Amino acid sequence: MENFKVIGELGKGTWGVVHLAEQLGTGRKVAIKKIKSKRPEEGINFTAVREIKMLREFRHENIIELVDCFTTPDMAINL
């Protein structure tokens, strides 16, 4: 998260929270989806892995570009 400045919350859903952020260094506005696992001891959420895989492969004007993917100390996945 050190590469991003969170500006505000855009929305919440079943799997997580989406924040509007600014990418430091470029000034680019991005959306960060934070997916928290209900049981971090079980590892990474399979639904998150599937979403990451699909976003890495898709190139379409109606689908957002995956800029980065990282975890935070609370074991949340951010994309």
Side-chain angles (χ1 to χ4, degrees), residues 2 9 14 23 25 29 32 36 40-41 45 51 59 64:
E2 62 272 356
E9 185 177 299
T14 303
Q23 188 176 24
K29 299 276 195 250
I32 298 178
K36 283 192 85 167
E41 67 277 359
N45 181 310
E51 183 173 349
R59 298 287 181 263
I64 62 168

Side-chain angles (χ1 to χ4, degrees), residues 37-78:
S37 178
K38 292 185 182 193
R39 291 185 223 153
E41 67 277 359
E42 291 183 3
I44 296 174
N45 181 310
F46 181 72
T47 303
V49 173
R50 185 172 35 208
E51 183 173 349
I52 293 164
K53 183 179 177 185
M54 289 178 9
L55 286 173
R56 287 177 65 195
E57 294 178 11
F58 289 151
R59 298 287 181 263
H60 190 274
E61 64 186 43
N62 295 331
I63 299 175
I64 62 168
E65 173 191 3
L66 180 62
V67 176
D68 197 1
C69 182
F70 54 92
T71 59
T72 51
D74 62 353
M75 294 302 296
I77 299 171
N78 296 268

